Amino acid sequence: MPNFDSSVLKSHLDCASDPTNSTHVRGRAFEDALEHIFAAVPGCDVQRNSLNRFRSEEVDISVMNFRENNGLRALPEIFLVECKNWSDPVDSATVNEFASKIRHRGCTLGILVAANGVTGNPYEKTAAYQSAALALVERTRMLLLTTADLAALASSQDIVSLLHRRLLDLIAAGTFTLG
């Protein structure tokens, strides 16, 4: 398990946000940042860019979670991470696609990392927030992270605390939360 290094994370995030880089380079750097984060969480093992056998769906990052004491104990043994380094908020159609991808893989949890958040209003459960709420009713949980969340991380314990809090907030609020 690699150690969490905030300077490595910052370097990946800087590359991911640099407009002089190609879309491909920025997207790859965004995925690199998430791989760095999850690989540093105790008990987590990551796999990148997995295609299903029909070559119709790709998973950016799959995480095997062995639920170590100082790791992601409240999260399931396997979950998916979808990285969207978009300049605009992620829309409801994309959230619905991710929810389907989670179910198609037999998982119950996915983490959507949307650089600039999602569309809609969490209090009125509109747009992407409604999609997350509907998925939750079907027992598909999705947590939301943004670039601001990632930039604030200083240790692997920070991501553990953040994800546990977001999971509790998801259940309590019935949709994504960023609070």
Side-chain angles (χ1 to χ4, degrees):
M1 169 180 65
N3 289 330
F4 183 93
D5 185 332
S6 57
S7 65
V8 170
L9 176 59
K10 182 181 180 335
S11 174
H12 290 313
L13 293 176
D14 287 347
C15 183
S17 65
D18 184 346
T20 63
N21 289 331
S22 70
T23 303
H24 175 75
V25 168
R26 290 193 313 264
R28 188 99 177 144
F30 202 59
E31 288 181 17
D32 291 343
L34 273 299
E35 180 179 27
H36 177 72
I37 290 167
F38 284 105
V41 172
C44 286
D45 190 17
V46 298
Q47 182 173 312
R48 290 269 299 261
N49 302 317
S50 302
L51 280 172
N52 66 0
R53 67 184 182 143
F54 306 107
R55 305 182 70 76
S56 61
E57 291 178 337
E58 181 181 32
V59 173
D60 294 333
I61 300 173
S62 304
V63 179
M64 174 67 81
N65 177 21
F66 293 99
R67 294 180 164 175
E68 289 190 10
N69 283 334
N70 52 351
L72 296 169
R73 298 214 10 114
L75 274 60
E77 291 86 5
I78 298 175
F79 60 89
L80 308 179
V81 180
E82 182 78 10
C83 303
K84 297 295 185 193
N85 189 22
W86 296 357
S87 56
D88 293 321
V90 170
D91 60 17
S92 59
T94 304
V95 173
N96 289 332
E97 287 174 25
F98 184 43
S100 292
K101 196 180 289 189
I102 295 165
R103 286 190 296 274
H104 293 166
R105 295 298 199 294
C107 293
T108 59
L109 176 78
I111 299 172
L112 175 62
V113 188
N116 291 295
V118 296
T119 59
N121 180 311
Y123 302 105
E124 296 173 8
K125 294 184 184 168
T126 58
Y129 289 94
Q130 183 200 28
S131 295
L134 292 173
L136 183 58
V137 170
E138 297 174 346
R139 299 192 176 274
T140 302
R141 297 173 175 179
M142 289 184 286
L143 307 181
L144 176 62
L145 298 177
T146 65
T147 299
D149 292 322
L150 304 180
L153 299 175
S155 71
S156 58
Q157 280 312 119
D158 289 347
I159 191 67
V160 169
S161 296
L162 177 60
L163 290 174
H164 284 165
R165 189 170 55 252
R166 291 277 163 89
L167 179 60
L168 181 59
D169 288 349
L170 171 71
I171 302 305
T175 190
F176 289 137
T177 62
L178 287 173

